[in-house]
Each structure stands twice: as structure tokens, then as C-alpha cells.
Amino acid sequence: MVEVLYAIERPFMRKTFEAIDRHVDVESAFVPVRADARGCSDRIDEIDVDDPGAVDDNVSAIDPSVVVYNHRFGIERFTFYEEYPLVHLRHGASIGRGEVAVTAETILEYVAAALAPGERWAKAYRAAAPSDVTVAVVGIPEADALADAPPPRERRVLYAPTNYMVGRGAYANTARSVVECFAHTEYELLFRPHPTDRREGPGLAVTRNCRRRIDGVPNVVFDTATTPTESMRRSDVLISDYSGSIAEWLHTGRPLVQLTDVDAPDRDVPRIGVTTDAIDLELVDDLYHNGEPDAVKRRRASWIEYLGIPMDGRAGERAAREVLRCRA
């Protein structure tokens, strides 16, 4: 019997579940909630279903003790949580896209437990959740492998901006200039668009154009890894904006460059690392050799305290413990 059932919407979201499941000591499996999530994990057993969209019927047929979900869209389409305990844990932890408020407003009334990345999220959850909902700070399970990981010191830079269609991030405005900045230099650039910008929306055209350019540049790599953890472990500097990748990257203690040229007039990039409208090789070179300036280090430390994310490499353990407590 499957006791812990993970409901996966998109392939990249598997990263959260895999980081939790290694600490689960009962039978577990995942069920795809969308067709493109079929076969997304080789670490968690998959329940084969005829129609991934028939979520209520699929959950009922599997009859788990608890369901774990790490998205928030479309929860109103389902009713399985009326019979089965539902645990919610967002994939990653977006800092500057309003995700804290959105999560609090859309899903907490349906869950038995909400597992927060940090105290900042937990405060919002506690204020919005019904009194019988458990709110626990666990950290970011997929970032456990980054905690205290030694820097590679291989002149490798990761570019990982937020989803343009939803986040209105810097991707459309900066992607090509980032490629050109590093092209034919002594640095290796890992070019990693958000999964959404690889398949749909206004970001898809940007991705295709950049990929054609990258094909002719030997030191720029189009990063095809399903999850970003290994790419982060291999990189010395992150270039992003307000992507959830920043919260994971903070576990490494390595330099962060945030691009502030965003198209959302009501949304500002939270200034955590070094901020700039346009990437500059001299800036990256200075960060690689000398690290972040003292003022930026203080700002980062202040943000880490404010976010309240445990960065001890044990988030997966804490999340697994909370999931197991919720079994019916």
C-alpha cells in the first residue's frame, strides 16, 4: 500500500519530492497531475494512470495515507483533500514575486499542514490558515545538497532568471546580452532559462534565439539538467533576478548578481546580492576573484535573517517528519 503519495504537476517540481523521499521510511510513490510529468523521476516509483487530469479518481484508486503537493494552481478543481490529508510545500521559495501572499490566499484552507521554507513564509501562513492547519518551518529540501558545498573555483557562471511569462523578470531583456558578455571569454556560462520559457509563452522565442547563438559559442552551455541543484554546485557565481533559485543559492554563500531590468512596474527586485541593470564582465571578474563587497555581505546576512530559512542541510528530514505525522 502506498502511504505517501506525491502529486507532481511539472517535471522540474520533482526536485522537492526527491529531496524529501530519501528520508521517508514507508512505501511512497508519485502520480502525475499533468501528462508532461509522466516518467519525470527515476528515484520515486510512479503510479501509472490512464488520465493524469483525473486527479480525484486517481488518488482515490491509490488510497494513500497522505498526499503531498508542491504547487498551488488549480486546487479548486480537486476534492481529494476532503478525504485524504494534504501536505503543501512549495517547490523552491520565490522571494520577490509575491508568492507568499498568493500561496496564503489560494491553498491553505485545503491542507492539513503547510510546510514553510522559512519564518517569513510561516508568518504569512499562520495569519491566513485556519486554526486546525499545522504550519511548520522546514527549509528548502532541494537545497540541502548546497549547504556548505565547497566552491568549484572553475570560472563557471550560472544564469538562471525567473519565468518571464509569470514573473515578468529580466529574461527577455537580458538573456542575449548575458550570452554575448561571456562569449569567447575564459569563463564558462551555464545558460539556464526557466522550464516554462523552454516550452511556451513570450519567453520561448527568447530561448530559441539564444540557443541558436549558443550553438556557435564553445564556452556557453545550454543547461538541460531537469533540476538546478547540480548546476549550482558546479558554479562560482549566479546571475538571476528574483527567481526562486536565489533562495537555494543563498545556501552556497557564493556571489550573487541580480539583474534589475524587469518589466513588472509593480514589482521590484529584492536587493540581496550585487544589483545591476546590465551584466558586465569586469563586475563578474571582480566578484570571482574578490567576493562580494562588505556592504553586500551585510545586506545578504540581513536578508538571510529576515527570511529565516534553516540552511543546515536537514530540510528534507524535517519535511519528511511532518509528512509522516499527517498520515491518516
Side-chain angles (χ1 to χ4, degrees):
M1 172 188 171
V2 172
E3 291 200 49
V4 177
L5 180 67
Y6 308 103
I8 302 184
E9 290 225 18
R10 299 290 190 186
F12 72 91
M13 295 177 183
R14 75 178 196 187
K15 62 183 182 178
T16 311
F17 300 124
E18 291 178 345
I20 295 172
D21 193 62
R22 61 173 59 101
H23 304 289
V24 169
D25 58 3
V26 299
E27 187 172 349
S28 62
F30 85 88
V31 62
V33 177
R34 296 177 186 260
D36 62 348
R38 291 184 189 272
C40 69
S41 178
D42 57 6
R43 298 183 182 180
I44 306 175
D45 291 339
E46 179 176 359
I47 302 295
D48 186 31
V49 294
D50 293 332
D51 178 9
V55 178
D56 288 331
D57 291 342
N58 294 336
V59 172
S60 179
I62 298 165
D63 194 27
S65 297
V66 62
V67 180
V68 190
Y69 191 52
N70 70 341
H71 210 336
R72 57 171 174 75
F73 296 115
I75 190 65
E76 68 281 353
R77 295 176 292 145
F78 313 140
T79 59
F80 69 82
Y81 49 78
E82 295 174 359
E83 183 176 358
Y84 300 96
L86 175 62
V87 175
H88 178 260
L89 172 63
R90 273 203 59 82
H91 60 279
S94 296
I95 296 173
R97 282 175 40 183
E99 293 291 348
V100 175
V102 172
T103 297
E105 293 166 3
T106 58
I107 198 169
L108 296 187
E109 64 181 292
Y110 306 108
V111 305
L115 309 187
E119 189 57 38
R120 170 180 181 255
W121 290 263
K123 287 179 181 177
Y125 291 0
R126 294 186 191 110
S131 59
D132 60 343
V133 173
T134 297
V135 176
V137 174
V138 297
I140 305 175
E142 54 265 47
D144 282 348
L146 299 173
D148 299 321
R153 302 303 297 169
E154 294 181 355
R155 296 181 182 272
R156 187 174 296 112
V157 177
L158 174 63
Y159 172 61
T162 196
N163 166 4
Y164 177 70
M165 184 172 68
V166 174
R168 299 299 297 277
Y171 184 53
N173 299 333
T174 63
R176 185 59 183 260
S177 63
V178 170
V179 173
E180 298 303 336
C181 176
F182 290 96
H184 306 293
T185 68
E186 60 186 356
Y187 286 91
E188 179 184 15
L189 175 68
L190 301 182
F191 185 89
R192 185 179 179 83
H194 188 278
T196 301
D197 292 325
R198 304 178 193 218
R199 68 172 184 267
E200 64 189 29
L204 179 57
V206 178
T207 301
R208 286 173 172 168
N209 289 335
C210 287
R211 193 159 193 175
R212 284 194 290 269
R213 171 62 174 138
I214 289 170
D215 286 344
V217 184
N219 67 311
V220 180
V221 177
F222 191 90
D223 189 1
T224 58
T226 303
T227 61
T229 303
E230 187 55 35
S231 300
M232 289 188 181
R233 285 179 63 90
R234 297 176 58 233
S235 299
D236 296 293
V237 178
L238 173 67
I239 300 174
S240 188
D241 40 33
Y242 44 43
S243 168
S245 62
I246 290 174
E248 296 173 42
W249 183 258
L250 289 175
H251 289 66
T252 70
R254 302 172 201 166
L256 165 67
V257 179
Q258 292 175 276
L259 297 171
T260 55
D261 188 7
V262 300
D263 286 336
D266 60 340
R267 191 171 295 149
D268 294 323
V269 172
R271 296 176 181 267
I272 301 172
V274 174
T275 55
T276 179
D277 281 344
I279 197 63
D280 177 86
L281 190 61
E282 184 177 347
L283 169 64
V284 174
D285 203 45
D286 183 58
L287 288 172
Y288 178 78
H289 289 289
N290 302 315
E292 294 173 333
D294 288 343
V296 174
K297 290 179 181 177
R298 290 192 295 270
R299 190 166 66 200
R300 174 199 288 259
S302 177
W303 267 97
I304 289 175
E305 181 179 3
Y306 167 62
L307 296 172
I309 301 172
M311 297 183 183
D312 56 2
R314 301 183 63 185
E317 293 179 40
R318 285 187 288 271
R321 187 163 56 245
E322 296 297 332
V323 168
L324 293 174
R325 283 176 179 167
C326 287
R327 285 178 294 171

